[in-house]
């Protein structure tokens, strides 16, 4: 039986809808009264694991799930050893650099060398600033990154931006986009190569359904 | 003005009560309708920052907060450069190793070398297994660590245990306690040494109040 790792949070609804469109119904994960993290789909054909978005690639890498749905941002940040099979189209947002609206910085080239940049995406931030050859000090945070510039701890932040509401509420403005991100389909490389439990067929129908929904 | 970093989650209520006992009222942080992460106490004497528990030592280390309240587990895991000033007594729980109740392991010495151990506390787990000279593979997870043994990804977990309810619900049993943890008072070392804004006096009354509440 195929196991699919699903991410808690903003990509969960889209992931469940896509799986439903190919006959796998994990809607129970959307019911707040259901506390189980491992369930069978309603047709008893596949198993679902509900995990933190950062943990999806871990379960797929170790083969505890053959398939997983996860944001491209997590793939960029964690670089897991999983097969990256399809762009699922939903969950679009962008990884951006933002600064205080009252600051003098209107482009990354205005940022002073060795300034501080707060981020949950330490590797993404590091790679970007290395690519433009600007030495910065990355301050790793776990949440509410917008407090970095507000408290004066950092000149800038690198964070995911969807609607831009959080930035606006905190008087921050975007000055650069690092990359766009959407939900992706990943698989355990060996399971995919040997087509364990018909994994390839499931990947094909998921890919076709994602394309049809995007069209 | 002194800024105090308060941790979201299980230690928040105790932290706010303790600060209230010395005349600093940050109860607004307990009101779910308050979205601000930076507020003044009701007597306008001090500022409060509401951040993720893992971020408390970051704000204190960088001096954006002079004081912080945080679990000993986070201090052990992150080893931040902060002054560790007092055991506040509340928020007691323990860092434990647990395995499936159906497993043959009843002590850490039963665990097979090179087995997998899932944990959010990678450094704590690593240090412990090194101290008993048992080579293990740590699987870093961000949440729901109990899924490690359930899915067969890991033989054991290292996690915080308060009531033991989560372990019981998932048919896991504790086989070892690494250490006990409680809430601690930390300060920015330099601010404490130079007694910025009367920081030492505030630390003294907090310490006395914590001792009185524990008695």
């Amino acid at each position: 039986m195929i196991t699919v790792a699903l991410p808690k949070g903003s990509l969960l609804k889209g992931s469940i809808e896509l799986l439903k469109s190919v006959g796998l119904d994990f809607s129970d994960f959307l019911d707040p009264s259901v506390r189980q993290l491992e369930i069978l789909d309603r047709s008893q054909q596949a198993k679902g694991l509900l995990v933190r978005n950062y943990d999806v690639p871990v379960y797929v890498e170790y083969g505890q799930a053959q398939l997983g749905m996860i944001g491209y941002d997590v793939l960029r940040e964690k670089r897991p050893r999983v097969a990256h099979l399809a762009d699922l189209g939903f969950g679009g947002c962008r990884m951006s650099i933002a600064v205080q609206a009252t600051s003098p910085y209107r482009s990354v080239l205005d940022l002073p060398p060795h300034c501080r940049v707060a981020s949950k995406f330490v590797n993404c931030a590091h790679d970007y600033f290395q690519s433009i050859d600007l030495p910065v000090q990355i301050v790793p945070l776990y949440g509410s990154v917008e407090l970095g510039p507000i408290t004066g701890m950092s000149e800038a932040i690198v964070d995911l931006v969807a609607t831009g509401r959080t930035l606006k509420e905190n008087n921050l403005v975007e000055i650069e986009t690092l990359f766009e991100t959407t939900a992706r389909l990943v698989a355990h490389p060996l399971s995919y190569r040997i087509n364990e439990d018909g994994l390839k067929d499931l990947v094909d129908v998921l890919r076709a359904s994602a394309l049809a929904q995007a069209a």
Side-chain angles (χ1 to χ4, degrees), chain A residues 5 16 19 21 26 58-59 66 87 103 109 125 151 174 178 190:
Chain A
I16 285 176
L19 286 163
S21 74
F26 292 106
V58 179
Y59 285 91
Q66 286 76 48
D87 183 342
S103 79
L109 299 176
T151 59
E174 285 175 81
L178 272 52
L190 190 61

Side-chain angles (χ1 to χ4, degrees), chain A residues 63-174:
Chain A
Q64 252 55 44
Q66 286 76 48
L67 275 188
M69 282 154 178
I70 187 63
Y72 177 59
D73 53 302
V74 175
L75 294 181
R76 281 281 286 252
E77 179 63 21
K78 295 203 55 162
R79 302 169 195 139
R81 283 165 298 171
V82 295
H84 178 171
L85 298 176
D87 183 342
L88 299 175
F90 62 88
C93 51
R94 55 193 182 275
M95 187 69 76
S96 290
I97 303 179
V99 296
Q100 282 201 293
T102 53
S103 79
Y105 316 124
R106 283 301 161 266
S107 123
V108 281
L109 299 176
D110 298 336
L111 287 171
H114 306 289
C115 70
R116 289 178 183 163
V117 178
S119 188
K120 287 180 271 190
F121 299 90
V122 173
N123 293 325
C124 293
H126 175 265
D127 290 354
Y128 175 77
F129 285 103
Q130 194 164 58
S131 79
I132 63 164
D133 196 31
L134 181 70
V136 298
Q137 188 184 352
I138 314 272
V139 181
L141 289 179
Y142 284 76
S144 306
V145 177
E146 61 275 15
L147 266 179
I150 290 176
T151 59
M153 184 165 65
S154 74
E155 273 83 5
I157 63 172
V158 168
D159 206 11
L160 277 183
V161 180
T163 61
R165 188 183 156 209
T166 306
L167 292 185
K168 213 167 178 182
E169 281 180 351
N170 290 289
N171 204 23
L172 299 170
V173 289
E174 285 175 81

